[in-house]
Amino acid sequence: MQKYALPPYKIKMVEPISLIGKDERVKRLKEAGYNPFRLRSEDVYIDLLTDSGTGAMSHFQWAALMQGDESYAGSRSYYRLEKVVKDITGYNYILPAHQGRGAEQVVIPELVVHDNMCFISNIHFDTTRAHVEIAGARAIDCVIPECFEISKYHPFKGNFDLKKLEQIILEKEAKNIAGIIMTITNNSAGGQPVSMENMRAVNVIAKKYGITLLIDGARYAENSFFIKKREAGYENKTIREIAKEVFDLADIFLMSAKKDGLVNIGGIIAIKDNFELFQKCQTNIVPKEGFPTYGGLAGRDMDALAVGLQEALEESYLAYRIDEVRYLGDLLREAGIPIQYPTGGHAVFVDCGEIAPHIPFDQFPAQAVSNALYIEGGIRPVEIGSLLLGRDPDTRKNIKADKEFMRLTIPRRTYTMEHLRYVAECLISVYKNRKDLKGLEFTYESPILRHFTAEFKPVE
Ligand code: F0G
């Protein structure tokens, strides 16, 4: 029995990458204002910034691109995508969008029907939160506390805190809840899965109070795989059957298809049976994304997506995918590096608050470790901590994150275990020299979404 699953594909096309010299990396990082977001990808050897739109397509998908029907309205490509999404979800109404946030900007405002409304999620992803706030509502997170006990095993750290969920509904009153959003997997806490049992309980609560239930399902296939592996009663079901059972529980499915759609661009809106809402979204999508049968995508994009959605439900693909993440996590843990454990679906989250306790939160320990990893090995991670959180809009003070995470995000079907072993070796070397890490102070900071463009200098 293999310790880690084997890859169910071989390599047919390669994209050369190269590691520039260490002096060069030091120079490039300085030019980038000590912010990996500002690096050029040609100066990066292994890019672990995101798993979004960075994966490799299969030869079936490349072949499907050639079938793209570039008609403005009613293209064959749309109908092929519609059929696949209907088959997977069982939902009636399907609209494409250019990516996840495109889907959000079409649907979320339609659910905010009066003032003082809020959404409740296990944890809202950043863009989801932004669209909730732009629509004039508030975003409340409601994940189980075990989510933040990073070294303690829990099979479903993405679960809703059910007691708290009901308390919030009673406190705010059901009429003021615009929707409950199940983020599967729960990206912001380490791609942590949500169990079927928990989703079923959320569904019962939503029904009891008449609240719309949404799935933010960028990584729904990975979540389904975890259910199969970790939840009793699902071991003999197919990933597709499990996913269908999940969709049966909700009313709306929003998807950034750049993850489990296995494409470089794309998004999906699927509505189970609310025809009135579908009509509103159909109207809303035109000025925002495009005509309802293309929604910001080329016909060829929709064809690649129709194939990718099906490939992402193959168990052999998911087994290797999830094991790549687990493999990297195991190597780091064996070296004593603190990570969110167990590893989730798409990334290893490293606790840099613990690695560099001498760096105050507002000098961004996870950004310091990320920069050191770039210098060490040309690897680009991303900070998910106090830098990302930003400032309190009223006091302008830096908000302190629960955890100063560095996310090592693994693109799909892109890197081999060999690449990941190298990543682990480089991070272990940074970890050994952790006392030398220095905090960062701003030389430029934009008023919102500062992490993308900020520039720093090391604190001496
Ligand atoms: N929802 C979740 C759970 C996500 O992780 C993302 C994107 C989105 C929605 C928005 O989708 O990027 O296609 O517009 N996550 C990426 C990431 C950007 O790096 O985690 P999008």
Side-chain angles (χ1 to χ4, degrees):
M1 180 71 180
Q2 299 281 334
K3 190 167 176 203
Y4 299 98
L6 294 170
Y9 45 75
K10 59 181 178 175
I11 296 163
K12 173 129 119 188
M13 194 195 287
V14 295
E15 179 181 336
I17 51 175
S18 64
L19 178 61
I20 59 171
K22 191 162 186 175
D23 293 349
E24 198 70 356
R25 298 200 291 276
V26 169
K27 197 165 145 232
R28 293 283 177 252
L29 188 65
K30 190 173 178 201
E31 284 165 3
Y34 296 94
N35 182 355
F37 268 112
R38 300 178 64 105
L39 287 167
R40 289 178 182 229
S41 66
E42 66 186 8
D43 297 327
V44 174
Y45 178 50
I46 296 186
D47 206 341
L48 305 185
L49 188 76
T50 181
D51 64 324
S52 184
T54 51
M57 294 206 295
S58 68
H59 64 178
F60 295 114
Q61 287 178 286
W62 283 104
L65 284 175
M66 294 302 293
Q67 297 181 49
D69 171 357
E70 307 304 343
S71 304
Y72 190 93
S75 72
R76 294 174 191 85
S77 303
Y78 168 77
Y79 287 107
R80 284 191 281 265
L81 175 63
E82 186 198 42
K83 179 171 184 324
V84 170
V85 180
K86 280 186 170 177
D87 283 350
I88 293 172
T89 60
Y91 289 9
N92 283 314
Y93 308 112
I94 316 297
L95 295 165
H98 85 280
Q99 60 182 83
R101 63 201 74 182
E104 290 163 1
Q105 69 166 343
V106 170
V107 175
I108 287 175
E110 298 303 335
L111 300 174
V112 181
V113 291
H114 57 78
D115 289 345
N116 299 322
M117 294 192 87
C118 57
F119 285 84
I120 311 172
S121 176
N122 38 356
I123 302 184
H124 291 83
F125 179 69
D126 321 6
T127 59
T128 321
R129 176 178 291 275
H131 282 298
V132 163
E133 289 173 1
I134 291 167
R138 285 281 159 266
I140 303 173
D141 293 338
C142 180
V143 74
I144 53 169
E146 289 87 338
C147 175
F148 302 107
E149 296 169 17
I150 66 159
S151 57
K152 208 168 119 189
Y153 183 88
H154 186 293
F156 293 103
K157 283 188 172 177
N159 279 357
F160 274 82
D161 183 331
L162 298 167
K163 232 167 127 188
K164 193 169 153 200
L165 174 63
E166 206 156 357
Q167 265 170 12
I168 298 168
I169 295 170
L170 292 172
E171 218 172 273
K172 303 275 173 195
E173 293 186 52
K175 68 175 189 328
N176 296 321
I177 314 292
I180 298 174
I181 304 175
M182 302 195 292
T183 310
I184 56 172
T185 58
N186 189 12
N187 179 3
S188 313
Q192 293 295 317
V194 181
S195 71
M196 189 73 83
E197 185 190 20
N198 190 259
M199 287 191 270
R200 230 183 267 122
V202 172
N203 162 283
V204 169
I205 294 173
K207 278 223 172 82
K208 177 171 165 193
Y209 294 100
I211 299 169
T212 303
L213 192 50
L214 297 93
I215 293 172
D216 176 359
R219 302 176 182 85
Y220 80 97
E222 291 169 5
N223 200 83
S224 303
F225 181 81
F226 281 115
I227 290 174
K228 178 165 174 131
K229 294 292 159 187
R230 294 185 185 167
E231 193 163 351
Y234 290 92
E235 39 297 87
N236 297 320
K237 297 214 164 157
T238 64
I239 304 297
R240 206 179 252 269
E241 284 166 345
I242 296 169
K244 179 66 174 45
E245 203 173 317
V246 170
F247 289 121
D248 283 347
L249 297 172
D251 306 298
I252 300 170
F253 170 46
L254 303 181
M255 183 185 194
S256 166
K258 298 169 74 171
K259 287 84 168 171
D260 283 354
L262 292 175
V263 286
N264 305 113
I265 195 75
I268 295 168
I269 298 165
I271 298 171
K272 188 189 265 170
D273 49 21
N274 186 338
F275 182 62
E276 204 186 318
L277 176 69
F278 168 64
Q279 282 186 313
K280 286 183 188 157
C281 293
Q282 223 183 4
T283 308
N284 201 12
I285 202 169
V286 176
K288 288 184 167 165
E289 294 286 294
F291 189 79
T293 59
Y294 78 81
L297 294 178
R300 57 179 170 271
D301 298 328
M302 292 189 275
D303 270 306
L305 177 53
V307 176
L309 283 167
Q310 300 180 79
E311 290 180 358
L313 290 167
E314 283 167 19
E315 190 175 335
S316 58
Y317 151 74
L318 285 165
Y320 181 67
R321 158 86 183 140
I322 301 295
D323 266 10
E324 268 201 321
V325 180
R326 185 166 68 93
Y327 171 69
L328 177 58
D330 285 352
L331 293 177
L332 299 178
R333 257 167 62 86
E334 281 158 19
I337 297 176
I339 61 164
Q340 173 68 293
Y341 173 77
T343 45
H346 68 298
V348 178
F349 278 54
V350 181
D351 183 356
C352 298
E354 218 173 290
I355 292 179
H358 60 287
I359 302 179
F361 82 95
D362 55 0
Q363 290 179 14
F364 314 119
Q367 187 81 344
V369 178
S370 300
N371 286 341
L373 188 55
Y374 175 71
I375 303 279
E376 181 66 29
I379 298 154
R380 172 158 64 176
V382 67
E383 195 261 12
I384 310 269
S386 297
L387 173 61
L388 175 81
L389 262 192
R391 291 180 187 271
D392 182 301
D394 300 320
T395 65
R396 300 303 301 157
K397 283 206 167 110
N398 280 305
I399 310 170
K400 188 176 184 311
D402 281 321
K403 292 281 171 205
E404 302 296 342
F405 280 131
M406 171 178 75
R407 186 179 78 171
L408 300 167
T409 337
I410 318 292
R412 293 169 181 76
R413 304 195 290 206
T414 301
Y415 294 116
T416 64
M417 296 283 201
E418 192 74 359
H419 290 116
L420 299 178
R421 188 177 53 72
Y422 169 76
V423 170
E425 283 168 3
C426 291
L427 185 54
I428 290 166
S429 165
V430 168
Y431 182 66
K432 286 189 177 144
N433 298 310
R434 60 192 180 278
K435 288 204 171 59
D436 301 338
L437 291 163
K438 289 196 171 79
L440 296 155
E441 63 189 12
F442 286 108
T443 56
Y444 167 70
E445 181 185 4
S446 66
I448 52 161
L449 298 173
R450 63 186 186 178
H451 55 292
F452 293 128
T453 54
E455 292 178 62
F456 304 90
K457 62 174 193 208
V459 177
E460 290 306 327

PDB file of all heavy atoms in Angstrom, residues 49-52 99-102 104 125 127-128 183 185 187 216 218-219 256 258-259 266 407, ligand 1:
ATOM      1  N   LEU A  49       1.099  31.005  -4.663  1.00  0.00           N
ATOM      2  CA  LEU A  49       0.251  32.138  -4.286  1.00  0.00           C
ATOM      3  C   LEU A  49      -1.209  31.707  -4.200  1.00  0.00           C
ATOM      4  O   LEU A  49      -1.939  32.093  -3.301  1.00  0.00           O
ATOM      5  CB  LEU A  49       0.409  33.249  -5.337  1.00  0.00           C
ATOM      6  CG  LEU A  49      -0.241  34.578  -5.030  1.00  0.00           C
ATOM      7  CD1 LEU A  49       0.576  35.335  -4.010  1.00  0.00           C
ATOM      8  CD2 LEU A  49      -0.387  35.409  -6.293  1.00  0.00           C
ATOM      9  N   THR A  50      -1.651  30.932  -5.165  1.00  0.00           N
ATOM     10  CA  THR A  50      -3.059  30.543  -5.202  1.00  0.00           C
ATOM     11  C   THR A  50      -3.250  29.266  -6.006  1.00  0.00           C
ATOM     12  O   THR A  50      -2.397  28.909  -6.839  1.00  0.00           O
ATOM     13  CB  THR A  50      -3.926  31.667  -5.798  1.00  0.00           C
ATOM     14  OG1 THR A  50      -5.300  31.250  -5.797  1.00  0.00           O
ATOM     15  CG2 THR A  50      -3.524  32.006  -7.224  1.00  0.00           C
ATOM     16  N   ASP A  51      -4.369  28.597  -5.745  1.00  0.00           N
ATOM     17  CA  ASP A  51      -4.782  27.448  -6.552  1.00  0.00           C
ATOM     18  C   ASP A  51      -5.876  27.884  -7.529  1.00  0.00           C
ATOM     19  O   ASP A  51      -6.572  27.060  -8.088  1.00  0.00           O
ATOM     20  CB  ASP A  51      -5.336  26.343  -5.630  1.00  0.00           C
ATOM     21  CG  ASP A  51      -6.597  26.802  -4.898  1.00  0.00           C
ATOM     22  OD1 ASP A  51      -6.689  27.988  -4.522  1.00  0.00           O
ATOM     23  OD2 ASP A  51      -7.511  25.980  -4.698  1.00  0.00           O
ATOM     24  N   SER A  52      -6.029  29.181  -7.704  1.00  0.00           N
ATOM     25  CA  SER A  52      -7.159  29.709  -8.474  1.00  0.00           C
ATOM     26  C   SER A  52      -6.751  30.036  -9.903  1.00  0.00           C
ATOM     27  O   SER A  52      -6.004  30.995 -10.135  1.00  0.00           O
ATOM     28  CB  SER A  52      -7.677  30.964  -7.787  1.00  0.00           C
ATOM     29  OG  SER A  52      -8.815  31.442  -8.455  1.00  0.00           O
ATOM     30  N   GLN A  99     -15.929  34.626 -13.218  1.00  0.00           N
ATOM     31  CA  GLN A  99     -15.262  33.893 -12.134  1.00  0.00           C
ATOM     32  C   GLN A  99     -16.151  33.968 -10.903  1.00  0.00           C
ATOM     33  O   GLN A  99     -17.295  34.414 -11.002  1.00  0.00           O
ATOM     34  CB  GLN A  99     -13.842  34.395 -11.889  1.00  0.00           C
ATOM     35  CG  GLN A  99     -13.687  35.851 -11.496  1.00  0.00           C
ATOM     36  CD  GLN A  99     -12.208  36.229 -11.337  1.00  0.00           C
ATOM     37  OE1 GLN A  99     -11.537  36.523 -12.311  1.00  0.00           O
ATOM     38  NE2 GLN A  99     -11.718  36.224 -10.107  1.00  0.00           N
ATOM     39  N   GLY A 100     -15.640  33.529  -9.748  1.00  0.00           N
ATOM     40  CA  GLY A 100     -16.495  33.435  -8.566  1.00  0.00           C
ATOM     41  C   GLY A 100     -17.096  34.759  -8.145  1.00  0.00           C
ATOM     42  O   GLY A 100     -18.291  34.867  -7.855  1.00  0.00           O
ATOM     43  N   ARG A 101     -16.253  35.786  -8.099  1.00  0.00           N
ATOM     44  CA  ARG A 101     -16.758  37.087  -7.635  1.00  0.00           C
ATOM     45  C   ARG A 101     -17.776  37.670  -8.604  1.00  0.00           C
ATOM     46  O   ARG A 101     -18.620  38.469  -8.215  1.00  0.00           O
ATOM     47  CB  ARG A 101     -15.601  38.041  -7.359  1.00  0.00           C
ATOM     48  CG  ARG A 101     -14.760  38.391  -8.533  1.00  0.00           C
ATOM     49  CD  ARG A 101     -13.396  38.885  -8.125  1.00  0.00           C
ATOM     50  NE  ARG A 101     -12.536  37.794  -7.667  1.00  0.00           N
ATOM     51  CZ  ARG A 101     -11.295  37.950  -7.209  1.00  0.00           C
ATOM     52  NH1 ARG A 101     -10.767  39.144  -7.128  1.00  0.00           N
ATOM     53  NH2 ARG A 101     -10.578  36.920  -6.847  1.00  0.00           N
ATOM     54  N   GLY A 102     -17.695  37.272  -9.869  1.00  0.00           N
ATOM     55  CA  GLY A 102     -18.702  37.675 -10.861  1.00  0.00           C
ATOM     56  C   GLY A 102     -20.053  37.083 -10.496  1.00  0.00           C
ATOM     57  O   GLY A 102     -21.089  37.751 -10.527  1.00  0.00           O
ATOM     58  N   GLU A 104     -20.926  36.201  -7.525  1.00  0.00           N
ATOM     59  CA  GLU A 104     -21.350  36.853  -6.275  1.00  0.00           C
ATOM     60  C   GLU A 104     -22.031  38.196  -6.551  1.00  0.00           C
ATOM     61  O   GLU A 104     -23.063  38.510  -5.968  1.00  0.00           O
ATOM     62  CB  GLU A 104     -20.122  37.086  -5.371  1.00  0.00           C
ATOM     63  CG  GLU A 104     -19.552  35.807  -4.789  1.00  0.00           C
ATOM     64  CD  GLU A 104     -18.134  35.979  -4.241  1.00  0.00           C
ATOM     65  OE1 GLU A 104     -17.581  37.102  -4.281  1.00  0.00           O
ATOM     66  OE2 GLU A 104     -17.553  34.965  -3.786  1.00  0.00           O
ATOM     67  N   PHE A 125     -15.449  34.009   2.365  1.00  0.00           N
ATOM     68  CA  PHE A 125     -14.235  34.340   1.631  1.00  0.00           C
ATOM     69  C   PHE A 125     -14.226  35.862   1.406  1.00  0.00           C
ATOM     70  O   PHE A 125     -15.274  36.493   1.353  1.00  0.00           O
ATOM     71  CB  PHE A 125     -14.175  33.582   0.297  1.00  0.00           C
ATOM     72  CG  PHE A 125     -12.947  33.941  -0.484  1.00  0.00           C
ATOM     73  CD1 PHE A 125     -11.695  33.552  -0.030  1.00  0.00           C
ATOM     74  CD2 PHE A 125     -13.017  34.717  -1.632  1.00  0.00           C
ATOM     75  CE1 PHE A 125     -10.542  33.920  -0.727  1.00  0.00           C
ATOM     76  CE2 PHE A 125     -11.867  35.082  -2.331  1.00  0.00           C
ATOM     77  CZ  PHE A 125     -10.628  34.685  -1.870  1.00  0.00           C
ATOM     78  N   THR A 127     -13.867  38.010  -1.070  1.00  0.00           N
ATOM     79  CA  THR A 127     -14.689  38.674  -2.095  1.00  0.00           C
ATOM     80  C   THR A 127     -16.173  38.527  -1.772  1.00  0.00           C
ATOM     81  O   THR A 127     -16.970  39.409  -2.081  1.00  0.00           O
ATOM     82  CB  THR A 127     -14.414  38.107  -3.504  1.00  0.00           C
ATOM     83  OG1 THR A 127     -14.697  36.701  -3.500  1.00  0.00           O
ATOM     84  CG2 THR A 127     -12.986  38.358  -3.945  1.00  0.00           C
ATOM     85  N   THR A 128     -16.510  37.412  -1.145  1.00  0.00           N
ATOM     86  CA  THR A 128     -17.917  37.196  -0.762  1.00  0.00           C
ATOM     87  C   THR A 128     -18.291  38.250   0.284  1.00  0.00           C
ATOM     88  O   THR A 128     -19.334  38.913   0.184  1.00  0.00           O
ATOM     89  CB  THR A 128     -18.102  35.781  -0.159  1.00  0.00           C
ATOM     90  OG1 THR A 128     -17.294  34.861  -0.884  1.00  0.00           O
ATOM     91  CG2 THR A 128     -19.541  35.355  -0.202  1.00  0.00           C
ATOM     92  N   THR A 183     -19.385  27.684   2.975  1.00  0.00           N
ATOM     93  CA  THR A 183     -18.168  27.735   2.168  1.00  0.00           C
ATOM     94  C   THR A 183     -17.491  26.376   2.245  1.00  0.00           C
ATOM     95  O   THR A 183     -17.007  25.970   3.305  1.00  0.00           O
ATOM     96  CB  THR A 183     -17.223  28.835   2.694  1.00  0.00           C
ATOM     97  OG1 THR A 183     -17.966  30.049   2.841  1.00  0.00           O
ATOM     98  CG2 THR A 183     -16.070  29.069   1.740  1.00  0.00           C
ATOM     99  N   THR A 185     -14.714  23.771   0.345  1.00  0.00           N
ATOM    100  CA  THR A 185     -14.159  23.727   1.680  1.00  0.00           C
ATOM    101  C   THR A 185     -14.000  25.157   2.202  1.00  0.00           C
ATOM    102  O   THR A 185     -14.091  26.108   1.435  1.00  0.00           O
ATOM    103  CB  THR A 185     -12.766  23.051   1.696  1.00  0.00           C
ATOM    104  OG1 THR A 185     -11.918  23.802   0.798  1.00  0.00           O
ATOM    105  CG2 THR A 185     -12.805  21.619   1.178  1.00  0.00           C
ATOM    106  N   ASN A 187     -12.050  27.849   2.811  1.00  0.00           N
ATOM    107  CA  ASN A 187     -10.741  28.346   2.352  1.00  0.00           C
ATOM    108  C   ASN A 187      -9.964  29.039   3.469  1.00  0.00           C
ATOM    109  O   ASN A 187      -8.827  28.668   3.770  1.00  0.00           O
ATOM    110  CB  ASN A 187     -10.977  29.301   1.174  1.00  0.00           C
ATOM    111  CG  ASN A 187      -9.693  29.901   0.618  1.00  0.00           C
ATOM    112  OD1 ASN A 187      -8.595  29.586   1.062  1.00  0.00           O
ATOM    113  ND2 ASN A 187      -9.829  30.765  -0.365  1.00  0.00           N
ATOM    114  N   ASP A 216     -21.059  28.244  -1.273  1.00  0.00           N
ATOM    115  CA  ASP A 216     -19.919  28.833  -1.963  1.00  0.00           C
ATOM    116  C   ASP A 216     -18.982  27.662  -2.217  1.00  0.00           C
ATOM    117  O   ASP A 216     -18.182  27.280  -1.368  1.00  0.00           O
ATOM    118  CB  ASP A 216     -19.264  29.911  -1.088  1.00  0.00           C
ATOM    119  CG  ASP A 216     -18.006  30.487  -1.727  1.00  0.00           C
ATOM    120  OD1 ASP A 216     -17.644  30.042  -2.830  1.00  0.00           O
ATOM    121  OD2 ASP A 216     -17.390  31.386  -1.126  1.00  0.00           O
ATOM    122  N   ALA A 218     -16.449  26.670  -4.433  1.00  0.00           N
ATOM    123  CA  ALA A 218     -15.253  26.686  -5.282  1.00  0.00           C
ATOM    124  C   ALA A 218     -14.521  25.349  -5.217  1.00  0.00           C
ATOM    125  O   ALA A 218     -13.975  24.881  -6.207  1.00  0.00           O
ATOM    126  CB  ALA A 218     -14.315  27.815  -4.842  1.00  0.00           C
ATOM    127  N   ARG A 219     -14.563  24.715  -4.023  1.00  0.00           N
ATOM    128  CA  ARG A 219     -13.821  23.467  -3.830  1.00  0.00           C
ATOM    129  C   ARG A 219     -14.757  22.360  -3.331  1.00  0.00           C
ATOM    130  O   ARG A 219     -14.425  21.588  -2.446  1.00  0.00           O
ATOM    131  CB  ARG A 219     -12.657  23.723  -2.851  1.00  0.00           C
ATOM    132  CG  ARG A 219     -11.715  24.824  -3.349  1.00  0.00           C
ATOM    133  CD  ARG A 219     -10.613  25.170  -2.376  1.00  0.00           C
ATOM    134  NE  ARG A 219      -9.759  26.251  -2.858  1.00  0.00           N
ATOM    135  CZ  ARG A 219      -9.999  27.556  -2.717  1.00  0.00           C
ATOM    136  NH1 ARG A 219     -11.092  27.959  -2.084  1.00  0.00           N
ATOM    137  NH2 ARG A 219      -9.182  28.455  -3.216  1.00  0.00           N
ATOM    138  N   SER A 256     -16.565  29.583  -7.949  1.00  0.00           N
ATOM    139  CA  SER A 256     -15.395  29.998  -8.700  1.00  0.00           C
ATOM    140  C   SER A 256     -14.879  28.748  -9.374  1.00  0.00           C
ATOM    141  O   SER A 256     -14.305  27.877  -8.720  1.00  0.00           O
ATOM    142  CB  SER A 256     -14.332  30.568  -7.766  1.00  0.00           C
ATOM    143  OG  SER A 256     -13.108  30.646  -8.481  1.00  0.00           O
ATOM    144  N   LYS A 258     -12.491  28.349 -11.163  1.00  0.00           N
ATOM    145  CA  LYS A 258     -11.033  28.357 -11.297  1.00  0.00           C
ATOM    146  C   LYS A 258     -10.368  27.371 -10.340  1.00  0.00           C
ATOM    147  O   LYS A 258      -9.167  27.188 -10.373  1.00  0.00           O
ATOM    148  CB  LYS A 258     -10.500  29.775 -11.041  1.00  0.00           C
ATOM    149  CG  LYS A 258     -11.030  30.776 -12.062  1.00  0.00           C
ATOM    150  CD  LYS A 258     -10.741  32.214 -11.670  1.00  0.00           C
ATOM    151  CE  LYS A 258      -9.282  32.559 -11.869  1.00  0.00           C
ATOM    152  NZ  LYS A 258      -9.053  34.024 -11.680  1.00  0.00           N
ATOM    153  N   LYS A 259     -11.159  26.776  -9.476  1.00  0.00           N
ATOM    154  CA  LYS A 259     -10.628  25.760  -8.567  1.00  0.00           C
ATOM    155  C   LYS A 259     -11.129  24.386  -9.041  1.00  0.00           C
ATOM    156  O   LYS A 259     -10.530  23.807  -9.930  1.00  0.00           O
ATOM    157  CB  LYS A 259     -11.080  26.037  -7.118  1.00  0.00           C
ATOM    158  CG  LYS A 259     -10.363  27.225  -6.468  1.00  0.00           C
ATOM    159  CD  LYS A 259     -10.989  28.540  -6.797  1.00  0.00           C
ATOM    160  CE  LYS A 259     -10.495  29.680  -5.955  1.00  0.00           C
ATOM    161  NZ  LYS A 259     -10.975  30.974  -6.449  1.00  0.00           N
ATOM    162  N   GLY A 266     -13.441  31.206 -15.070  1.00  0.00           N
ATOM    163  CA  GLY A 266     -14.825  30.752 -15.145  1.00  0.00           C
ATOM    164  C   GLY A 266     -15.514  30.759 -13.796  1.00  0.00           C
ATOM    165  O   GLY A 266     -14.871  30.682 -12.746  1.00  0.00           O
ATOM    166  N   ARG A 407       0.062  30.907   3.542  1.00  0.00           N
ATOM    167  CA  ARG A 407      -0.597  29.837   2.793  1.00  0.00           C
ATOM    168  C   ARG A 407       0.302  29.357   1.671  1.00  0.00           C
ATOM    169  O   ARG A 407       0.720  30.142   0.825  1.00  0.00           O
ATOM    170  CB  ARG A 407      -1.929  30.356   2.228  1.00  0.00           C
ATOM    171  CG  ARG A 407      -2.760  29.299   1.547  1.00  0.00           C
ATOM    172  CD  ARG A 407      -4.087  29.847   1.026  1.00  0.00           C
ATOM    173  NE  ARG A 407      -3.910  30.592  -0.212  1.00  0.00           N
ATOM    174  CZ  ARG A 407      -4.911  31.025  -0.978  1.00  0.00           C
ATOM    175  NH1 ARG A 407      -6.170  30.827  -0.607  1.00  0.00           N
ATOM    176  NH2 ARG A 407      -4.682  31.692  -2.074  1.00  0.00           N
TER     177      ARG A 407
HETATM  178  N1  F0G B   1     -15.143  31.797  -2.815  1.00  0.00           N
HETATM  179  C1  F0G B   1     -14.057  31.149  -2.359  1.00  0.00           C
HETATM  180  C2  F0G B   1     -14.209  30.142  -1.262  1.00  0.00           C
HETATM  181  C3  F0G B   1     -12.799  31.419  -2.896  1.00  0.00           C
HETATM  182  O1  F0G B   1     -11.729  30.784  -2.429  1.00  0.00           O
HETATM  183  C4  F0G B   1     -12.688  32.380  -3.940  1.00  0.00           C
HETATM  184  C5  F0G B   1     -11.383  32.709  -4.513  1.00  0.00           C
HETATM  185  C6  F0G B   1     -13.845  33.013  -4.388  1.00  0.00           C
HETATM  186  C7  F0G B   1     -15.064  32.691  -3.801  1.00  0.00           C
HETATM  187  C8  F0G B   1     -13.815  34.060  -5.459  1.00  0.00           C
HETATM  188  O2  F0G B   1     -13.590  33.460  -6.671  1.00  0.00           O
HETATM  189  O3  F0G B   1     -11.373  34.334  -7.429  1.00  0.00           O
HETATM  190  O4  F0G B   1     -12.943  33.193  -9.002  1.00  0.00           O
HETATM  191  O5  F0G B   1     -13.460  35.450  -8.154  1.00  0.00           O
HETATM  192  N2  F0G B   1     -10.273  32.372  -4.005  1.00  0.00           N
HETATM  193  C9  F0G B   1      -8.939  32.608  -4.567  1.00  0.00           C
HETATM  194  C10 F0G B   1      -7.896  32.247  -3.556  1.00  0.00           C
HETATM  195  C11 F0G B   1      -8.726  33.962  -5.156  1.00  0.00           C
HETATM  196  O6  F0G B   1      -6.704  32.495  -3.844  1.00  0.00           O
HETATM  197  O7  F0G B   1      -8.208  31.697  -2.516  1.00  0.00           O
HETATM  198  P1  F0G B   1     -12.800  34.165  -7.872  1.00  0.00           P
END
